[in-house]
Amino acid sequence: MTQTIRTRFAPSPTGFMHIGNLRTALYSYLLAKHEDGQFVLRIEDTDQERYVEGATDAIYRALAQTGLEYDEGPDKDGGVGPYVQSERMKSGLYMDYAKKLIDKGEAYYCFCTPERLASLKSTTDADGNPFQAYDKHCLSLTKEEIEQHLANGDPFVIRLNIPNEGETSFHDEIYGDISFPNSELDDMILIKSDGFPTYNFANVIDDHLQGITHIVRGNEYLSSSPKYNRLYQAFGWDVPVYVHCPLITDENEKKLSKRSGHASYEDLIAQGFLPEAVLNYVALLGWSPTDNQEIFSLDELVKAFDYHRINKSKAVFDLTKMKWINGEHFKAMDPERFYQMAEPYLKDFVHGDYDYRVLSEMVRTRVLTFPEIKDQLDFIDVLPDYDAELYRHKKSKSNPEVALEVLTGVLPLLEEQEDYSNDALFALLKDYAVGHEQKNATVMWPVRVALSGKMSTPGGATQLLELLGKDESLRRIDRGISMLKDTLNQA
Ligand code: GLU
């Protein structure tokens, strides 16, 4: 029987959901789901100094909005909880595991004072190399000495006993075989002097106890992995499969930081991107499918995802590409859902008695982000000032003279017209064009310019007539006629 794959997302609630963290969550989810495995959420909140209020909620929110549903987590027990590290700590389990290692000779008590440790840092080894690792001073304490220290209540830490000789190697699925000389590895602290586990120790114990088979995380953890590996070896546990993901940089190839303005999931949502589009783009930051497909739903990603195709070179966050992907998701999305999300923007940019669902459909396939709705609809509240040259359009066979003739010709018809529906208006203007032996576009172009003062608009001339209504349309066409007369008289 093949082993069920179990992955986990183990965020520390230290801020907003960084894009790199979202990618870790996504790849962990995809790796598990591609193989019908399980995806676990574990909150690693033991570093109280870095804890940020509200950060845990931000994690839940981002996972829920993007659809990264976990099979087990703090609110979904799978039998290997608790799923919050601070709660796990209460049981004293980490101390028990540290003591197991002491019994095996794989770890030891260290009673060195902070002063001694500080002075060590300024020393050099026999070859004159600067201090790299703890000198194992306390490893040579006798059983009696240790018991005496403990009986005195002397503060201690528990350290992993890494041999000085040899090297520690591990295999990473993306970065290959990596070896570190043991002499460079510090006898890392497992239990701190306050009795709490270090983050690194708790992380390994939890991954093992929760049956995690594949560990996906950012490559900033690559250098800690030999130590993690030594821990697995010291316990005699199976080593999980490591999948370290490449760094994500900004356009200048600097680590994607808050300063870039789009480093977190929340930043992108605030800028008008869709959760599914963010997820789609993030999937491509370091991974590529076998074909050239770029637009994916989450289900499609699950099917296509092969973690062996994660890249080791830096992934550059390209905002232009993010926008394009967002636009493609707008095109494919349910109009009503788009409307629900676009409504605040529409109502912010356009004021009046309009059918906002119509406005919404006019812009849905034309914008890449929600704030771009403004540029599309900025002519509705107030007709912008525009130049008579806008009436010149080669393909439509329009120019200011022709436009003046057309507008003057259609104005009385539009005054008489009662039915201001798009279809009726289209038929009216089409008849006019036929009657005057003109191309449709020669009539539509000037009308659209007069109504909008713009080169391009969402919706054609008759849609704008319907939208603006009779009074406002007639006023704008009248204004176009006056403006053209003035300009042509001057010429
Ligand atoms: N809690 C760590 C973080 O938020 C995750 C480390 C890991 O995935 O092993 O960066």
Side-chain angles (χ1 to χ4, degrees):
M1 204 184 84
T2 51
Q3 186 190 26
T4 302
I5 288 190
R6 280 173 67 82
T7 62
R8 57 28 171 203
F9 176 44
S12 301
T14 53
F16 289 119
M17 180 75 108
H18 188 273
I19 285 304
N21 278 352
L22 181 64
R23 185 189 59 183
T24 296
L26 174 63
Y27 286 5
S28 301
Y29 174 89
L30 295 176
L31 199 162
K33 295 295 145 188
H34 184 72
E35 303 285 344
D36 285 328
Q38 294 148 357
F39 172 59
V40 176
L41 173 66
R42 181 175 75 232
I43 305 287
E44 299 201 323
D45 61 345
T46 42
D47 194 347
Q48 291 300 330
E49 276 165 31
R50 290 175 61 218
Y51 183 80
V52 173
E53 196 61 40
T56 311
D57 289 342
I59 293 166
Y60 287 123
R61 205 168 35 242
L63 293 179
Q65 287 180 359
T66 51
L68 297 180
E69 202 181 317
Y70 41 89
D71 300 291
E72 295 169 31
D75 51 354
K76 240 186 199 177
D77 190 17
V80 289
Y83 294 83
V84 177
Q85 230 165 30
S86 57
E87 287 172 28
R88 297 176 71 75
M89 221 145 66
K90 290 180 195 149
S91 67
L93 78 101
Y94 302 111
M95 184 61 103
D96 294 345
Y97 276 95
K99 286 186 178 158
K100 278 186 196 175
L101 288 185
I102 294 181
D103 293 345
K104 292 172 122 201
E106 298 281 2
Y108 58 95
Y109 288 104
C110 171
F111 298 95
C112 285
T113 59
E115 293 73 31
R116 178 168 192 279
L117 294 175
S119 71
L120 262 188
K121 293 215 165 115
S122 54
T123 58
T124 50
D125 68 11
D127 299 327
N129 298 317
F131 168 86
Q132 255 178 331
Y134 175 66
D135 63 357
K136 292 182 180 289
H137 175 76
C138 289
L139 186 60
S140 53
L141 292 178
T142 63
K143 209 167 168 245
E144 291 70 34
E145 284 170 320
I146 294 169
E147 271 161 17
Q148 189 58 55
H149 272 299
L150 293 175
N152 291 348
D154 292 339
F156 66 84
V157 299
I158 297 178
R159 289 181 183 272
L160 182 64
N161 182 15
I162 300 180
N164 277 334
E165 310 302 319
E167 54 179 31
T168 295
S169 312
F170 71 100
H171 180 75
D172 180 80
E173 291 294 312
I174 312 305
Y175 290 84
D177 291 322
I178 299 182
S179 299
F180 280 83
N182 286 340
S183 56
E184 283 178 19
L185 300 179
D186 198 18
D187 278 359
M188 74 178 213
I189 296 177
L190 308 179
I191 300 287
K192 298 181 284 185
S193 55
D194 57 10
F196 291 131
T198 53
Y199 163 71
N200 288 329
F201 186 50
N203 178 275
V204 169
I205 302 291
D206 291 349
D207 281 339
H208 173 73
L209 293 181
Q210 297 187 325
I212 303 304
T213 60
H214 291 63
I215 291 184
V216 181
R217 62 183 162 216
N219 71 0
E220 67 271 25
Y221 286 97
L222 210 48
S223 59
S224 310
S225 296
K227 292 181 185 179
Y228 294 151
N229 230 29
R230 284 227 60 94
L231 270 173
Y232 282 100
Q233 287 164 355
F235 280 114
W237 292 340
D238 285 346
V239 176
V241 177
Y242 292 110
V243 181
H244 284 94
C245 308
L247 184 73
I248 303 178
T249 74
D250 62 16
E251 280 90 341
N252 303 317
E253 304 217 4
K254 296 262 159 28
K255 193 170 186 276
L256 191 61
S257 74
K258 235 181 149 133
R259 230 171 314 130
S260 72
H262 47 262
S264 74
Y265 170 76
E266 291 80 3
D267 284 340
L268 290 168
I269 297 301
Q271 285 167 31
F273 291 101
L274 289 169
E276 61 266 42
V278 174
L279 206 62
N280 182 165
Y281 183 52
V282 163
L284 302 175
L285 287 173
W287 170 83
S288 54
T290 42
D291 54 18
N292 291 328
Q293 185 173 347
E294 291 190 292
I295 303 303
F296 288 91
S297 66
L298 184 53
D299 284 347
E300 288 170 327
L301 283 172
V302 168
K303 284 196 192 87
F305 192 74
D306 172 2
Y307 71 86
H308 298 99
R309 295 186 58 82
I310 296 176
N311 217 306
K312 52 175 169 249
S313 45
K314 288 181 201 156
V316 181
F317 191 104
D318 175 356
L319 198 57
T320 308
K321 177 118 186 223
M322 170 77 258
K323 285 185 183 169
W324 174 75
I325 288 182
N326 202 60
E328 293 302 302
H329 280 268
F330 278 164
K331 285 181 195 157
M333 95 193 261
D334 170 50
E336 182 58 24
R337 180 161 167 254
F338 179 84
Y339 169 68
Q340 294 299 337
M341 296 177 89
E343 194 185 6
Y345 295 90
L346 291 166
K347 294 207 163 150
D348 193 24
F349 303 145
V350 182
H351 306 89
D353 188 17
Y354 297 110
D355 183 339
Y356 281 85
R357 280 191 172 74
V358 170
L359 287 175
S360 175
E361 265 312 89
M362 279 169 85
V363 296
R364 182 168 62 85
T365 57
R366 295 176 162 259
V367 293
L368 300 181
T369 63
F370 288 115
E372 286 183 13
I373 290 175
K374 185 175 186 183
D375 300 335
Q376 293 289 325
L377 301 180
D378 57 1
F379 65 93
I380 297 182
D381 275 4
V382 180
L383 178 67
D385 285 332
Y386 63 97
D387 198 283
E389 279 304 300
L390 214 54
Y391 286 102
R392 189 180 306 282
H393 190 245
K394 214 165 161 198
K395 229 174 116 207
S396 308
K397 294 195 187 309
S398 177
N399 61 40
E401 288 83 2
V402 172
L404 179 58
E405 194 188 309
V406 169
L407 293 181
T408 319
V410 298
L411 185 64
L413 301 177
L414 289 169
E415 275 168 351
E416 275 164 38
Q417 177 76 7
E418 292 298 333
D419 181 356
Y420 258 65
S421 67
N422 180 29
D423 289 348
L425 291 160
F426 192 81
L428 180 79
L429 294 191
K430 202 169 164 216
D431 280 353
Y432 177 88
V434 173
H436 289 76
E437 292 179 5
Q438 271 161 339
K439 281 173 75 158
N440 258 354
T442 313
V443 179
M444 301 297 181
W445 182 270
V447 173
R448 206 170 53 76
V449 168
L451 295 174
S452 67
K454 294 185 79 175
M455 263 305 263
S456 75
T457 52
T462 53
Q463 276 174 298
L464 299 190
L465 283 168
E466 180 186 68
L467 179 77
L468 293 168
K470 187 168 178 175
D471 291 351
E472 182 60 14
S473 296
L474 294 178
R475 202 182 62 76
R476 291 186 182 198
I477 291 174
D478 210 36
R479 187 167 143 198
I481 293 172
S482 316
M483 189 263 249
L484 281 167
K485 278 185 182 159
D486 288 350
T487 313
L488 292 172
N489 281 343
Q490 276 170 19

